Amino acid sequence: MSKQTYRVCFCFRRRFKLAEAEVPDEIKALFDLYSENGIMTADQIHRFLIEVQKQEKATFEEAQSIVESLKHLSLFHRKGLHLEAFFKYLFGDTNPPLDLKLGVHQDMTAPLSHYFIYTGHNSYLTGNQLSSDCSDVPIINALKKGVRVIELDIWPNSENDDVEVLHGRTLTTPVQLIKCLRSINEYAFTASEFPVVITLEDHLTPDLQAKVARMVTQTFGDILFTPGSECLKEFPSPESLKRRIIISTKPPKEYLEAKNIKDKESDSQKGNAASDEEAWGKEIPILSDDKNESDKDDDDDAEEDLDEGDHKLQHDIAPEYKRLIAIHAGKPKGGLHECLKVDPDKVRRLSLSEQQLEKAAETYRKEIVRFTQRNILRVYPKGIRVNSSNYNPLIGWMHGAQMVAFNMQGHGRSLWLMQGMFRANGGCGFVKKPSFLLKSGPHGEVFDTKAKLPKQKTLKVKIYMGEGWYYDFHHTHFDAYSPPDFYARVGIAGVPADTVMKKTKTLEDSWIPYWNEEFEFPLTVPELALLRIEVHEYDMSEKDDFGGQTCLPVWELREGIRAVPLHDRKGERYKCVKLLVRLEFV
């Protein structure tokens, strides 16, 4: 027998064993309860869908389609399913934890400020923040995944006659702005028809601003949203902006004022310090740990403030450029207290680094929530994240921040949370904020992120088993001479009171781990809770091997027994790896 034939036979025996001998006892008991003489008919499947799967609107036709889709496994029982076919249905792609048929189901007619928006940071970078290439490829990839906010840092080229996109004051190689704009135009609505916002970090002279205005209007034409007024009094809705491009940046006047303020502060604090030290020099010590940076000055993170060394800007403003700006950004004079004031006659965007938000939340947490009810808050990674890592997005979301900006190339647990959030609402890139972040009480009171809240509900998660690693991984990937030793980590990412991770036992030498363990998660704010699941392979002598992960919005989970697909580190779904899980709210 050849090695290939042996492998096929081994996989077949594994598959047969999975369907017969390793069906969890609880699944067997449910099958016995909803079947007769070893066969589950369409009527019985319909009752199972309603009573166990909590699909109250399930129809008999849906149950019949399940029978039809699996009749090839029931050659002698075409009117129903035997145990193997029933188990195949439960572990199949038609039984996911989120209802894919829902699509975009939230109200999309509220102002933009009422939504969390899938937001990128330095969207043009292929790698780290200091020396990687700039390209339109990461922009295209982000748009294909549903990202709705693209950030471009625009600078003059070396001849000062054209505009490039790059991370200024670094060794990143530039890409032409026109190339990025054309790629956005081509791929903007590949994954979602809802609007794309381009946030510009502008380091240009007025003549080049005028050139950008021509590029933008010629590239996007009629799909460019230009409100025509000095400043919006209220943001339009995602519904009204379908298939539109929106420009957001600081108006040139505010840009110049920000530069003057930054220069004066720098002079008073540092005397005649060198300009490169003000911008990136202080942030370059890559070996510093985050915990050692907690007392750094806020200006270290102020990437949107200007620094010395920019091309000298004239007070003449390119009017055609100014007219492009639909969402005005900037920090008013007077410190954070003034920044967070709500103007009833206009709306705007404010940007804070993750560190600035954390510090601001200590004193102004209610003011931040109140600000984000009408205005847009963008949060971006602190400057010392030179390796393009990310931060906990819940810091922004629980304060109502709409644009929690992430390095989409910074793969890791933080990005998994971001991907999990935007699996909600059909993956369209806009998720309606919970009502408690949008409303004020009779006396102006708003949600307090530090208030002790009662438990609203409890999510029970039972991890039965997993399979598919044998097909998606090489058979020596985890251990050279024995099957893997898998364990699962299960938990919640949410407000601090709800955040927790738990762990199953480790199962030795099994490609098909059978944990059969249940976990309970009391939730005070389920509207902001994300279910986290990871699988790892225990390694006694080295770091445990990664075996898959997923992150799911709790408020959209379907109760019942579900097949949960796992993803790789980048968030790409494996072909075969799944967990069989039971989800229940009590």
Side-chain angles (χ1 to χ4, degrees):
M1 181 184 297
S2 68
K3 289 184 178 180
Q4 181 65 26
T5 304
Y6 176 82
R7 183 180 174 88
V8 170
C9 292
F10 180 84
C11 292
F12 176 79
R13 288 199 300 271
R14 272 293 186 185
R15 185 68 214 168
F16 184 81
K17 184 181 180 185
L18 174 63
E20 294 284 340
E22 294 195 11
V23 176
D25 291 340
E26 190 173 317
I27 305 301
K28 292 178 182 177
L30 283 169
F31 179 80
D32 290 341
L33 183 63
Y34 286 90
S35 66
E36 189 173 354
N37 297 323
I39 296 298
M40 184 184 285
T41 65
D43 281 323
Q44 291 163 326
I45 294 171
H46 185 213
R47 194 158 59 89
F48 172 82
L49 293 176
I50 295 172
E51 296 175 2
V52 178
Q53 304 293 74
K54 308 298 182 183
Q55 297 174 218
E56 297 177 357
K57 297 181 180 180
T59 64
F60 174 79
E61 287 71 25
E62 289 178 81
Q64 186 64 46
S65 69
I66 292 172
V67 174
E68 289 294 319
S69 67
L70 294 166
K71 64 183 182 181
H72 62 284
L73 295 178
S74 306
L75 297 177
F76 303 105
H77 305 286
R78 291 184 178 273
K79 294 185 178 181
L81 306 179
H82 53 52
L83 177 59
E84 180 185 351
F86 175 64
F87 191 47
K88 177 80 171 178
Y89 148 68
L90 288 179
F91 231 141
D93 291 337
T94 59
N95 185 37
L98 304 180
D99 189 351
L100 303 181
K101 296 178 182 177
L102 278 179
V104 179
H105 58 276
Q106 295 179 336
D107 174 23
M108 302 300 287
T109 61
L112 286 176
S113 55
H114 287 208
Y115 300 84
F116 298 129
I117 310 173
Y118 205 174
T119 301
H121 174 256
N122 291 346
S123 304
Y124 49 86
L125 285 181
T126 57
N128 69 63
Q129 304 285 309
L130 295 180
S131 60
S132 65
D133 291 335
C134 302
S135 169
D136 64 329
V137 173
I139 296 171
I140 294 169
N141 291 338
L143 292 170
K144 285 181 175 180
K145 292 177 181 177
V147 173
R148 298 290 86 193
V149 182
I150 299 297
E151 184 190 31
L152 303 177
D153 289 14
I154 50 178
W155 294 79
N157 67 353
S158 57
E159 290 79 24
N160 290 323
D161 61 358
D162 202 359
V163 182
E164 296 177 333
V165 174
L166 75 155
H167 203 193
R169 311 282 184 238
T170 69
L171 300 177
T172 55
T173 56
V175 59
Q176 283 190 314
L177 172 63
I178 188 62
K179 186 174 185 180
C180 296
L181 295 178
R182 287 170 178 167
S183 293
I184 292 172
N185 186 53
E186 182 175 355
Y187 293 94
F189 308 110
T190 303
S192 170
E193 61 182 346
F194 290 98
V196 168
V197 179
I198 303 175
T199 59
L200 297 175
E201 287 298 325
D202 173 1
H203 303 267
L204 303 177
T205 52
D207 58 325
L208 288 178
Q209 288 177 345
K211 185 166 187 174
V212 170
R214 292 192 294 273
M215 287 185 194
V216 169
T217 52
Q218 291 171 9
T219 301
F220 298 120
D222 293 339
I223 69 171
L224 184 67
F225 173 71
T226 49
S229 62
E230 185 70 18
C231 197
L232 291 168
K233 291 187 176 181
E234 184 178 62
F235 289 118
S237 70
E239 182 67 30
S240 69
L241 293 170
K242 277 184 174 178
R243 305 190 74 82
R244 303 297 294 273
I245 301 293
I246 305 168
I247 302 297
S248 177
T249 187
K250 291 179 182 177
K253 180 181 177 182
E254 284 85 343
Y255 192 84
L256 286 166
E257 290 175 351
K259 173 177 170 52
N260 292 334
I261 293 170
K262 174 74 175 178
D263 290 348
K264 289 177 182 178
E265 289 178 352
S266 297
D267 290 343
S268 63
Q269 292 174 10
K270 307 180 189 69
N272 296 320
S275 61
D276 57 348
E277 181 183 353
E278 291 178 20
W280 269 94
K282 295 181 297 180
E283 298 169 1
I284 289 179
I286 303 174
L287 300 179
S288 297
D289 293 327
D290 288 359
K291 63 183 178 181
N292 295 329
E293 301 293 332
S294 59
D295 58 356
K296 286 169 67 74
D297 191 276
D298 279 351
D299 285 344
D300 291 356
D301 290 327
E303 68 170 29
E304 293 204 341
D305 291 339
L306 296 183
D307 49 33
E308 290 184 282
D310 279 340
H311 290 265
K312 185 177 180 181
L313 298 178
Q314 304 168 19
H315 285 276
D316 296 330
I317 297 170
E320 59 269 48
Y321 179 79
K322 189 174 181 180
R323 283 195 294 267
L324 295 180
I325 305 170
I327 300 177
H328 287 221
K331 293 185 176 77
K333 297 178 182 179
L336 194 58
H337 180 72
E338 291 297 318
C339 287
L340 294 173
K341 281 188 175 179
V342 177
D343 189 331
D345 296 321
K346 63 180 181 180
V347 290
R348 57 193 169 86
R349 171 172 71 84
L350 173 68
S351 288
L352 298 174
S353 73
E354 54 172 299
Q355 259 184 337
Q356 289 172 334
L357 176 61
E358 288 177 7
K359 291 182 180 180
E362 294 174 6
T363 307
Y364 298 108
R365 59 185 183 277
K366 293 182 182 179
E367 287 81 358
I368 296 170
V369 172
R370 192 174 287 111
F371 177 84
T372 59
Q373 291 178 345
R374 267 181 53 78
N375 300 281
I376 289 176
L377 176 60
R378 175 178 172 268
V379 185
Y380 58 90
K382 57 188 176 183
I384 61 171
R385 294 188 181 277
V386 294
N387 62 347
S388 293
S389 63
N390 290 301
Y391 52 99
N392 182 357
L394 271 303
I395 298 170
W397 291 333
M398 68 189 214
H399 287 92
Q402 297 86 351
M403 295 183 179
V404 178
F406 262 35
N407 296 304
M408 294 301 164
Q409 77 279 26
H411 307 301
R413 287 189 172 92
S414 295
L415 187 57
W416 301 345
L417 300 184
M418 180 68 65
Q419 293 165 343
M421 165 65 82
F422 290 101
R423 289 190 176 107
N425 200 27
C428 73
F430 287 80
V431 174
K432 190 84 181 293
K433 295 200 290 187
S435 59
F436 61 78
L437 287 173
L438 300 172
K439 298 177 181 178
S440 299
H443 304 291
E445 60 268 28
V446 295
F447 177 68
D448 185 351
T449 57
K450 291 192 175 181
K452 290 187 177 181
L453 301 172
K455 181 189 75 175
Q456 288 195 42
K457 60 176 67 175
T458 295
L459 172 63
K460 295 172 70 173
V461 181
K462 188 165 188 176
I463 308 289
Y464 290 113
M465 58 185 298
E467 72 135 345
W469 289 279
Y470 195 88
Y471 311 111
D472 285 341
F473 290 78
H474 191 272
H475 67 279
T476 61
H477 177 86
F478 298 106
D479 288 305
Y481 304 106
S482 64
D485 307 324
F486 285 126
Y487 66 88
R489 299 178 71 235
V490 188
I492 297 291
V495 299
D498 296 345
T499 300
V500 66
M501 285 299 285
K502 302 180 180 181
K503 180 181 173 182
T504 68
K505 58 182 174 288
T506 299
L507 297 179
E508 295 183 2
D509 298 338
S510 178
W511 283 101
I512 305 174
Y514 180 90
W515 295 290
N516 198 34
E517 293 188 48
E518 186 172 82
F519 304 92
E520 293 191 5
F521 302 104
L523 301 173
T524 61
V525 188
E527 300 92 337
L528 289 177
L530 299 165
L531 174 62
R532 291 179 53 197
I533 302 177
E534 300 175 13
V535 174
H536 298 270
E537 197 269 341
Y538 175 73
D539 194 313
M540 184 179 299
S541 59
E542 299 179 4
K543 184 178 178 181
D544 291 352
D545 293 316
F546 176 79
Q549 59 83 24
T550 194
C551 189
L552 302 166
V554 165
W555 62 94
E556 288 202 4
L557 289 176
R558 297 202 296 172
E559 293 188 87
I561 300 167
R562 304 296 174 186
V564 177
L566 296 188
H567 304 75
D568 65 16
R569 292 183 184 275
K570 294 182 179 181
E572 300 294 334
R573 179 179 165 176
Y574 292 121
K575 292 181 180 179
C576 300
V577 178
K578 294 190 189 79
L579 301 180
L580 190 65
V581 174
R582 185 163 189 168
L583 304 167
E584 183 181 5
F585 290 106
V586 294

